[in-house]
Amino acid sequence: MASLKRSLDSDPFAANISSKVYVRSTKRGKVQKIVREVYLRQDIPCSSKLCQSCLRSAPTDAAGRSTPFVLSEAPAGTSVYQQGHYLVPDTNAFLTAMDLFEQSAAFYDVVVLQVVLEELRNRSLPLYNRLINLTKSEDKRFYVFFNEFRLETHVARQEGESVNDRNDRAVRKAVAWYAQHLARTGAEKVPAVVMLTNDRDNLRKAKLEDIPACSLADYVRQLKDGDKLLDMIPETQDQDVVKERRPGDLLYPEYFSMSKMMTGVKGGLLHQGTFNVSPYNYLEGSIRVPAFPKALLILGRENINRAIDGDLVVVEVLPKDQWKEPSTQVIEEDAITKNENPDAGENEALVSERERKALQEEVRRTHGKTTEGHAQPTAKVVGVIKRNWRQYVGHIDQSSVSQSAQQGRKQDTVFVIPMDRKIPKIRLRTRQVAELVGKRILVTIDAWDRGSRHPSGHFVRSLGELETKAAETEALLLEYDVQYRPFPKTVLDCLPKEGHDWKVPQSLDDPGWRDREDLRGLLICSIDPIGCQDIDDALHSRPLPNGNVEVGVHIADVSHFVRPNNAMDNEASIRGTTVYLVDKRIDMLPMLLGTDLCSLKPHVERYAFSVIWEMSPDADVVNVRFTKSVIKSREAFSYEQAQLRVDDGSQQDDLTKSIRALLGLSKKLKQKRLDAGALSLSSPEVKVQMESETSDPIDVKTKELLDTMSLVEEFMLLANTSVARKIHEAFPQTAILRRHGAPPKTNFDELADQLRVKRGLDLSVESSRALADSLDACVDPSEPFFNTLVRIMATRCMMAAEYFCSGTQAYPEFRHYGLASEIYTHFTSPIRRYADLAAHRQLAAAIGYETVDPSVRSRGRLEAVCKNINVRHRNAQLAGRASIAYYVGQALRGKATEEDGFVMKIFSNGFVVLVPRFGIESLIRLRDLAEPEPQAEFDAETYTLETSGSRAVKVELFQKVRVHVTDQKDETTGKRGVKMELVKVC
Amino acid sequence: MPLDTSAYNLALLRVDGRRWNELRRVHAQIRTQAAADGSSYLEMGHTKVMCVVTGPSEPGPRRGGAGAGGGGGSGGKDAEVAVSIVIAGFSSVDRKRHGKGDKRTLELQSTVSNALSASLHTHLFPHSQINISLHVLSQDGSLLAALINAATLACVDAGIPMTDYVAACTAGSTSTYAANDEAADPLLDLNHQEEQELPGLTVATLGNSDRVAVLVCESRVQVGRLEGMLAVGVDGCKQMREILDRVVREKGQRMIQEGTVERGVGLNDMDVD
Ligand SMILES: [Zn+2]
């Protein structure tokens, strides 16, 4: 009988094959046992430039190229390892101090072990990606050593050994191997190989095995100027700092275990969602979950339980008798926790006396009313699924700095107040208090344990003095995660070699002219804001013999220059959009393309992507076609110039006539849209006027609306809609589109109630048409601004529009609510939006101009692109607004004016006023009205606040008020902003 | 969890430690079941299959849909190569049961049948049937290639005349279709994880020639990368043929030493020293 038994020695591979067994659980809760082969080898190089033997056996890729060695032959030394050293960090070192590795003062020549990389990837994908980026950077010299695949460094898990212990042992074994291996190179100065770990047990074992090892803190102390870097080591890792706390000291409830949360969520007992903090009350948060139509309220420190704005959390709904109304009171963290001691005292209570008082008033108020059924369900946080922590810009709270720290280099604990009001203050230990006070600084949050009232974090870097333009601009860009670094060389290499001399080829036989229509003969012009350099779009119209009109929209042909998947394309897809600040533009594409080669400048020939309609005189589309083209714009108008030209009856040239024709058609198009229920929404828009030389702000103006603006807008909307239909038809599963969901009716509850109570007006939200009509009816004959005010408030009840990939939604969900369009996309601004660029590629494929690139067909990839650009788009808007707010503050600096304002929101201890002229809103608190703080009676039913005592006024919602506007530096956020004082109620 | 296939570029190492042009360890045996006309057992990494061949023999009564026909019906002048594949439930991680009529199984059956028909001299056995029965014990990628190789070995063992070995293996590419990386390295012999994440194809060649007997590509890949993948795959097939050949020769040698077969009986073309 033959047997299937295999004799091992006959197998030449046998000694070098190992297998890895691990267990994983699937999404559906099944447990799977996975066995994988591992092939052990001896040709994995150490990658030290000192080593000759590895060089001989270095692997090559299929093209025969080998990877150059990474680690320097003469690495830097420290006070202990003067001969030079290579670092081998363990997983925890990267998990806790990635910032340290990224900075440029030290941490060169680092060996990243495979076991560490794998562990890091399982623990944190963002950190893994940052580490991968480091390995790609040439000057940092990080080398990934696949220790698990090298015969000598492979470690099998022993019986009874925990995974962690095995991994630690693997790290030590790799370090030991490196040391031996380098010793054999016979180099004059053999660098030490130093393990970095904060694990005490691992350090002890390393010492026993005679392996050089340091904790992060010890290592940094060996460096020159190490003091500064010490601040970047997170507090919890500084082992001396962590005090053993008694259970009685724990301030916050413990989180549930992950499995308990998952079971709870599955069973419907717990709910999962993103935690949001109220902008007016730092002790009130809310979370939207599918099971409840209204957001769940989370009130108070204990219920919020260490969740920070944006975290993905799991909550438990509280019993009905604890349900409450949302707060009508403004509670600001700085006012309440002002005098807290950052050196957390032993007898610290979770809820401070002052907080208790503030909350008590709340409870008293709600108690009287619970019978009326206004109460909203409340909940408490029982666990955090995923933290949304990032780096935060802030400044050190001056009052938290002790006198001694101002002078010495002693480590001190201070509070950092983040610029984002929704983020709690962060406890920071630093040795450089004196240098950092008065600066904008970047910090991260490391942990928030149960024993500490505030989260603790560490210092990353300083941006510069508060209120200097450079520091504030960088702060803004960091806060909104705008990629503002110069384009790397790999991106610039993708630009046409001719640079600014690039021209549309003369010869029609040139491949650039393939399938392009010659539209140079058409009277095309562009209309944009003054000073616009990146001209995305241009238009033309001409009468046709049959009485119809030909209208063309010509868009810069960016996809001709930006090929899919090259470095420039990848960079643009990460940036997602161009960001416009008051004094600065952060481009999505390099300047050469954005403001020159792609820009549809007048009098030069440019490549374009054209949408050409035949329209009846009533602005009905008879047919539409799409083509790549070459155009020559005749003129670049500003809105104002175009308007003047249209209005001037003496101008009778063909170009002016064609603009008039377009204007006529655009009005009809707009009427059609409005008839279909398109909304005309509003947000306060202002423009900051700058001194041309110093670019200091001098004045603020509200934006004027001209007919020519809506002319351009209408045709862009039409082009976007036409393109959306076309690409959806060609790629039903993968078209990149833009949708705007209908807002849930409950979003309008408050506004509808306010309008009914205060003005007897009815807000109907059945459909966008009904909403548009009822918004039109919201007028106050004596106050023309009232309608705009209501529109501004209605806009804030809306959902955000979003990009999506057509396969992810059913057709009815494609609808754009605000534009009342069945289907919509972005096509008309490819210079400054990545979505448009993707739409260009899809349209080019749809009309057979080029073959479909896989990246614009792969649904997974497109979904990732959409997800990213949705975030970028929103951040760009916020950054733009924040920039305007900063400059409005600067423009007002030292000036005081009296302006009209309107009450937008009322609290029991203050109210919010919007000043249309500056487009700013600001909170006026009771204590701002008079000294001492006046008594106040707040009627939540009628939205009225009546004060008495030191000052008697009656403030109502929607009311017009006169306010005194001055600039003021906000001590909390360190931002210069606007301070308003009530002069009188009109 | 280990890293995924995107880590290849860090050190030109694949998820299991291989280089781009390395096969996994192959272990094969023939004549594993003495009672059968021909039998074999083959491992390519953790993909493990068993094969039993009976025939050529008179075709039995037809069972509905069980065997996939190839090379003409059993009534024709060529022998029919009937392949049946049983995939054990425990062979893959998700422990999914594969029914007999499973579409993927049927497709595998017909591909194996066509591949073997290309080499077997079926015209020598008119009106008869060759039954190849394959059992999949464990799956870790390159299943079709393993099935073809095991079937070849078992047919050799059964002594059915054939032109040459049909040796198969898979080839892939180090970057995904969507990444569209022109410079991606081709890969030889994909395991399960690589098959899941990367584009790949299965190729089988006839003996020492470059004649391709089977080429199956079920994933999307740029045409530009196909040539490199195919070249690597064909090269892998040659290595595989060497391995199969060695297994056959070693077995033959041992059988002579053990006296199971007399020297020179039916083995006159074999070098025994
Ligand atoms: Zn070496």
Side-chain angles (χ1 to χ4, degrees):
Chain A
M1 271 298 288
S3 87
L4 275 176
K5 203 175 146 222
R6 192 162 82 204
S7 58
L8 273 178
D9 35 288
S10 69
D11 193 336
F13 267 125
N16 298 349
I17 295 175
S18 172
S19 56
K20 248 186 187 171
V21 181
Y22 59 97
V23 175
R24 77 171 175 204
S25 64
T26 64
K27 276 182 195 154
R28 297 173 62 194
K30 269 190 181 171
V31 175
Q32 298 181 331
K33 182 173 172 186
I34 294 170
V35 182
R36 280 209 183 139
E37 285 182 302
V38 175
Y39 289 81
L40 301 177
R41 49 198 321 132
Q42 290 178 280
D43 63 352
I44 299 176
C46 64
S47 203
S48 165
K49 286 184 181 156
L50 287 168
C51 179
Q52 293 302 315
S53 65
C54 287
L55 201 57
R56 280 190 290 275
S57 62
T60 56
D61 68 4
R65 289 173 303 236
S66 58
T67 325
F69 279 14
V70 176
L71 302 170
S72 160
E73 59 265 69
T78 71
S79 57
V80 176
Y81 307 105
Q82 290 179 350
Q83 72 276 39
H85 70 298
Y86 297 151
L87 280 177
V88 186
D90 75 349
T91 316
N92 246 339
F94 285 120
L95 273 175
T96 55
M98 187 61 83
D99 301 331
L100 261 183
F101 291 94
E102 282 170 338
Q103 52 79 39
S104 57
F107 292 90
Y108 289 89
D109 300 298
V110 175
V111 178
V112 180
L113 297 180
Q114 176 189 11
V115 56
V116 169
L117 198 64
E118 282 177 2
E119 229 183 335
L120 189 67
R121 189 175 192 275
N122 294 336
R123 301 278 293 274
S124 161
L125 206 52
L127 286 178
Y128 167 81
N129 287 330
R130 278 163 74 183
L131 185 56
I132 291 292
N133 277 335
L134 275 174
T135 65
K136 286 182 185 153
S137 137
E138 275 176 26
D139 43 310
K140 284 299 277 183
R141 303 191 295 273
F142 276 50
Y143 171 64
V144 181
F145 178 68
F146 279 74
N147 63 311
E148 308 271 23
F149 293 157
R150 176 136 193 156
L151 185 64
E152 298 91 328
T153 54
H154 177 82
V155 165
R157 191 167 149 196
Q158 288 161 353
E159 206 158 313
E161 191 177 35
S162 77
V163 177
N164 272 336
D165 285 348
R166 187 215 84 104
N167 289 352
D168 287 346
R169 193 155 60 83
V171 174
R172 290 198 303 275
K173 188 153 186 185
V175 173
W177 175 81
Y178 248 94
Q180 276 169 22
H181 180 81
L182 291 176
R184 263 190 307 227
T185 59
E188 233 171 87
K189 268 188 359 192
V190 178
V193 182
V194 183
M195 179 170 84
L196 272 186
T197 178
N198 272 344
D199 186 297
R200 279 203 184 135
D201 191 45
N202 202 5
L203 281 171
R204 185 182 57 79
K205 285 180 184 159
K207 205 167 176 189
L208 282 178
E209 294 164 28
D210 216 13
I211 293 168
C214 297
S215 73
L216 273 172
D218 284 343
Y219 174 72
V220 169
R221 281 190 200 105
Q222 295 171 16
L223 298 171
K224 227 173 84 189
D225 269 340
D227 279 3
K228 287 193 176 161
L229 297 180
L230 269 182
D231 286 352
M232 296 172 79
I233 300 174
E235 181 174 313
T236 44
Q237 288 311 305
D238 207 342
Q239 296 286 338
D240 330 325
V241 177
V242 181
K243 282 177 252 167
E244 290 292 316
R245 282 186 175 272
R246 293 183 302 279
D249 291 343
L250 297 174
L251 298 169
Y252 292 98
E254 192 178 4
Y255 288 149
F256 287 6
S257 72
M258 194 56 90
S259 61
K260 186 169 174 189
M261 287 195 285
M262 287 296 112
T263 332
V265 170
K266 226 191 247 170
L269 297 170
L270 302 175
H271 305 276
Q272 181 182 331
T274 307
F275 177 75
N276 290 306
V277 174
S278 153
Y280 295 109
N281 180 349
Y282 80 103
L283 293 177
E284 174 184 315
S286 63
I287 172 173
R288 278 203 170 276
V289 298
F292 289 83
K294 267 197 161 180
L296 297 174
L297 283 181
I298 302 170
L299 298 170
R301 222 172 242 292
E302 195 167 352
N303 288 335
I304 291 175
N305 195 5
R306 295 170 283 155
I308 292 180
D309 191 68
D311 287 349
L312 188 62
V313 299
V314 170
V315 296
E316 182 180 40
V317 177
L318 294 171
K320 210 161 182 171
D321 58 330
Q322 293 179 38
W323 290 13
K324 288 190 183 125
E325 278 185 68
S327 160
T328 55
Q329 198 182 12
V330 181
I331 304 183
E332 286 167 315
E333 186 179 16
D334 57 306
I336 299 222
T337 64
K338 203 171 218 155
N339 301 320
E340 262 171 37
N341 187 355
D343 265 320
E346 294 291 312
N347 311 324
E348 194 177 45
L350 172 61
V351 182
S352 75
E353 204 46 43
R354 293 178 69 122
E355 273 178 6
R356 201 188 305 279
K357 226 170 110 188
L359 284 173
Q360 206 106 83
E361 278 170 37
E362 272 299 289
V363 174
R364 203 176 307 138
R365 198 179 55 74
T366 42
H367 251 275
K369 297 212 185 88
T370 33
T371 44
E372 286 162 46
H374 278 298
Q376 224 165 299
T378 52
K380 66 174 181 189
V381 174
V382 296
V384 176
I385 304 269
K386 203 166 159 263
R387 291 289 192 185
N388 190 35
W389 294 350
R390 53 183 173 95
Q391 297 187 325
Y392 301 96
V393 179
H395 71 284
I396 291 179
D397 182 2
Q398 181 80 49
S399 58
S400 70
V401 178
S402 71
Q403 211 49 45
S404 63
Q406 294 270 24
Q407 296 132 16
R409 270 208 164 274
K410 176 182 148 286
Q411 193 178 43
D412 196 28
T413 307
V414 291
F415 278 134
V416 169
I417 302 177
M419 225 159 82
D420 186 347
R421 279 177 168 276
K422 293 182 194 160
I423 307 300
K425 37 186 186 182
I426 301 165
R427 234 169 44 157
L428 180 83
R429 288 173 74 81
T430 173
R431 290 164 184 79
Q432 328 168 48
V433 176
E435 283 110 287
L436 296 183
V437 167
K439 298 257 171 67
R440 274 261 167 257
I441 58 172
L442 191 64
V443 299
T444 59
I445 297 183
D446 299 318
W448 194 346
D449 38 70
R450 295 172 58 201
S452 154
R453 271 172 70 78
H454 298 279
S456 55
H458 70 266
F459 166 75
V460 178
R461 69 190 168 94
S462 160
L463 309 179
E465 294 286 329
L466 282 175
E467 279 209 82
T468 53
K469 202 183 282 176
E472 295 299 334
T473 307
E474 196 182 356
L476 215 137
L477 296 173
L478 283 168
E479 262 310 275
Y480 296 106
D481 197 16
V482 177
Q483 308 288 316
Y484 60 95
R485 279 168 230 267
F487 287 100
K489 185 167 175 299
T490 48
V491 170
L492 299 177
D493 285 345
C494 302
L495 292 169
K497 280 173 209 65
E498 300 89 340
H500 289 283
D501 297 328
W502 180 90
K503 281 193 179 62
V504 171
Q506 287 298 306
S507 154
L508 298 188
D509 301 325
D510 190 279
W513 273 90
R514 186 184 58 85
D515 292 340
R516 267 184 205 278
E517 257 179 74
D518 185 354
L519 302 180
R520 289 177 292 183
L522 294 175
L523 287 181
I524 293 170
C525 67
S526 62
I527 311 176
D528 288 285
I530 294 177
C532 177
Q533 288 176 302
D534 42 358
I535 304 173
D536 282 303
D537 51 86
L539 299 130
H540 89 274
S541 81
R542 62 176 178 186
L544 292 173
N546 63 1
N548 287 345
V549 191
E550 178 189 275
V551 177
V553 163
H554 312 275
I555 306 298
D557 190 6
V558 178
S559 63
H560 174 84
F561 295 96
V562 186
R563 303 311 302 165
N565 270 314
N566 66 16
M568 184 153 66
D569 183 53
N570 290 333
E571 180 75 22
S573 78
I574 291 167
R575 295 189 177 214
T577 174
T578 294
V579 181
Y580 294 87
L581 304 182
V582 172
D583 61 333
K584 204 178 170 128
R585 193 183 67 219
I586 293 96
D587 289 313
M588 178 180 90
L589 292 169
M591 282 270 270
L592 175 67
L593 291 185
T595 60
D596 192 1
L597 306 191
C598 289
S599 180
L600 302 177
K601 298 197 293 188
H603 320 303
V604 283
E605 293 174 7
R606 286 287 177 249
Y607 284 154
F609 208 153
S610 304
V611 183
I612 297 169
W613 299 276
E614 181 180 343
M615 285 182 141
S616 72
D618 291 328
D620 288 322
V621 174
V622 180
N623 67 52
V624 57
R625 65 191 182 89
F626 310 90
T627 178
K628 291 253 182 172
S629 60
V630 176
I631 62 159
K632 187 171 177 182
S633 167
R634 296 296 191 270
E635 202 68 64
F637 293 114
S638 69
Y639 290 125
E640 290 79 4
Q641 283 170 334
Q643 190 70 46
L644 285 175
R645 196 145 169 170
V646 167
D647 294 344
D648 180 357
S650 67
Q651 301 260 18
Q652 287 300 332
D653 57 295
D654 284 346
L655 189 57
T656 314
K657 278 198 221 158
S658 75
I659 302 176
R660 283 197 194 113
L662 287 170
L663 191 61
L665 287 171
S666 76
K667 287 185 175 156
K668 287 172 189 155
L669 284 172
K670 182 163 190 180
Q671 195 51 50
K672 281 182 197 182
R673 261 191 333 109
L674 293 178
D675 290 346
L679 295 172
S680 156
L681 295 169
S682 198
S683 53
E685 275 198 78
V686 293
K687 215 174 112 183
V688 180
Q689 281 196 329
M690 311 281 261
E691 170 82 52
S692 51
E693 274 171 25
T694 58
S695 72
D696 284 330
I698 45 175
D699 199 7
V700 184
K701 286 231 163 88
T702 36
K703 280 187 185 163
E704 215 181 334
L705 282 172
L706 294 170
D707 275 352
T708 44
M709 291 179 188
S710 94
L711 182 167
V712 175
E713 192 190 347
E714 288 307 324
F715 284 107
M716 295 308 135
L717 292 178
L718 187 60
N720 287 337
T721 317
S722 301
V723 171
R725 280 207 190 93
K726 181 75 186 177
I727 57 178
H728 178 242
E729 184 189 298
F731 306 108
Q733 287 300 308
T734 53
I736 185 161
L737 300 175
R738 189 167 172 81
R739 64 190 282 273
H740 181 209
K745 284 193 185 113
T746 52
N747 278 17
F748 290 99
D749 282 357
E750 196 185 3
L751 181 61
D753 185 58
Q754 289 167 343
L755 284 168
R756 191 167 37 77
V757 171
K758 301 305 292 181
R759 299 288 159 116
L761 292 166
D762 203 30
L763 190 69
S764 161
V765 295
E766 303 309 312
S767 65
S768 64
R769 182 68 210 269
L771 180 61
D773 288 345
S774 59
L775 281 175
D776 286 340
C778 286
V779 284
D780 180 343
S782 61
E783 185 42 67
F785 187 74
F786 176 69
N787 186 263
T788 313
L789 181 70
V790 175
R791 284 183 200 277
I792 290 173
M793 291 169 76
T795 306
R796 294 184 185 173
C797 304
M798 294 288 172
M799 313 280 284
E802 62 179 8
Y803 297 107
F804 69 103
C805 175
S806 57
T808 59
Q809 301 278 351
Y811 189 78
E813 300 298 317
F814 287 13
R815 199 175 164 73
H816 196 294
Y817 180 81
L819 296 172
S821 172
E822 257 175 51
I823 184 168
Y824 191 68
T825 190
H826 270 165
F827 172 75
T828 53
S829 303
I831 297 179
R832 58 191 176 88
R833 286 189 308 229
Y834 191 78
D836 303 54
L837 184 52
H840 272 235
R841 290 183 183 142
Q842 294 188 336
L843 184 63
I847 61 170
Y849 174 81
E850 60 188 15
T851 53
V852 193
D853 187 84
S855 66
V856 294
R857 285 210 59 171
S858 143
R859 186 162 144 182
R861 165 116 187 200
L862 280 168
E863 279 174 38
V865 165
C866 287
K867 201 172 152 198
N868 179 48
I869 54 184
N870 281 328
V871 174
R872 298 291 175 189
H873 196 78
R874 171 140 189 80
N875 280 348
Q877 280 179 333
L878 293 175
R881 268 183 230 156
S883 167
I884 290 177
Y886 171 72
Y887 276 99
V888 168
Q890 291 293 326
L892 286 171
R893 201 166 180 166
K895 292 180 203 162
T897 54
E898 219 180 272
E899 295 292 339
D900 281 340
F902 296 86
V903 178
M904 288 187 90
K905 202 168 173 61
I906 294 211
F907 298 101
S908 60
N909 60 346
F911 51 94
V912 176
V913 174
L914 170 79
V915 175
R917 175 151 131 69
F918 299 134
I920 45 169
E921 54 197 271
S922 173
L923 175 72
I924 299 182
R925 287 160 298 201
L926 283 181
R927 61 186 156 91
D928 300 328
L929 287 177
E931 190 70 41
E933 188 173 316
Q935 300 287 312
E937 193 65 37
F938 173 64
D939 187 348
E941 300 297 297
T942 61
Y943 305 98
T944 316
L945 183 68
E946 197 167 1
T947 68
S948 56
S950 54
R951 184 168 178 187
V953 283
K954 186 173 173 189
V955 184
E956 289 180 70
L957 192 69
F958 301 132
Q959 194 173 33
K960 188 172 174 178
V961 292
R962 255 338 245 182
V963 287
H964 187 73
V965 183
T966 50
D967 71 309
Q968 180 209 34
K969 191 171 144 193
D970 187 335
E971 289 306 329
T972 336
T973 59
K975 277 190 243 182
R976 183 162 297 275
V978 171
K979 173 157 177 77
M980 290 186 197
E981 282 166 53
L982 185 68
V983 178
K984 62 171 181 172
V985 175
C986 302
Chain B
M1 286 284 278
L3 302 171
D4 61 23
T5 50
S6 67
Y8 174 78
N9 283 323
L10 291 173
L12 307 179
L13 284 166
R14 295 158 66 174
V15 284
D16 53 6
R18 282 182 294 154
R19 300 272 178 223
W20 60 276
N21 56 354
E22 289 175 349
L23 285 174
R24 288 178 286 180
R25 181 217 37 191
V26 178
H27 167 80
Q29 277 176 272
I30 57 172
R31 189 149 299 185
T32 48
Q33 255 141 1
D37 291 334
S39 57
S40 70
Y41 171 77
L42 180 121
E43 294 181 4
M44 288 169 74
H46 278 160
T47 299
K48 301 174 184 175
V49 296
M50 232 169 70
C51 183
V52 171
V53 171
T54 50
S57 56
E58 262 185 51
R62 271 208 164 269
R63 279 164 299 158
S74 53
K77 57 182 173 42
D78 292 349
E80 180 196 0
V81 180
V83 177
S84 87
I85 297 176
V86 177
I87 299 179
F90 54 80
S91 68
S92 63
V93 179
D94 53 11
R95 311 219 156 192
K96 212 164 105 191
R97 284 190 166 274
H98 293 267
K100 272 227 157 140
D102 181 66
K103 224 177 176 177
R104 192 173 123 72
T105 313
L106 289 178
E107 213 175 312
L108 285 172
Q109 286 177 170
S110 112
T111 314
V112 174
S113 165
N114 285 332
L116 269 296
S117 303
S119 178
L120 293 172
H121 292 183
T122 50
H123 63 277
L124 297 177
F125 311 101
H127 311 293
S128 53
Q129 195 178 34
I130 299 167
N131 280 307
I132 302 179
S133 163
L134 287 151
H135 288 256
V136 179
L137 306 177
S138 169
Q139 297 188 63
D140 187 19
S142 302
L143 179 62
L144 175 60
L147 291 171
I148 293 174
N149 294 334
T152 300
L153 281 181
C155 287
V156 170
D157 185 33
I160 305 169
M162 57 204 293
T163 319
D164 206 331
Y165 295 99
V166 186
C169 76
T170 54
S173 180
T174 51
S175 81
T176 58
Y177 173 71
N180 196 12
D181 175 10
E182 286 298 323
D185 274 352
L187 291 180
L188 182 62
D189 189 14
L190 306 184
N191 66 22
H192 178 70
Q193 191 186 2
E194 289 171 328
E195 251 176 15
Q196 296 285 302
E197 295 173 15
L198 301 170
L201 52 81
T202 302
V203 57
T205 60
L206 212 51
N208 248 338
S209 68
D210 280 347
R211 275 179 58 203
V212 172
V214 175
L215 179 57
V216 180
C217 180
E218 288 168 314
S219 49
R220 202 188 262 271
V221 66
Q222 279 79 14
V223 173
R225 282 197 253 167
L226 198 61
E227 195 188 334
M229 286 165 62
L230 200 52
V232 166
V234 168
D235 186 60
C237 290
K238 284 190 181 153
Q239 293 183 42
M240 189 59 74
R241 183 193 176 275
E242 295 303 309
I243 294 169
L244 300 182
D245 192 46
R246 201 166 57 229
V247 170
V248 171
R249 281 172 195 278
E250 275 171 12
K251 182 70 183 176
Q253 210 164 16
R254 210 168 315 133
M255 283 163 75
I256 290 166
Q257 279 163 1
E258 287 165 2
T260 324
V261 196
E262 255 175 74
R263 183 176 199 139
V265 180
L267 286 170
N268 33 17
D269 58 336
M270 234 180 219
D271 249 340
V272 181
D273 10 60

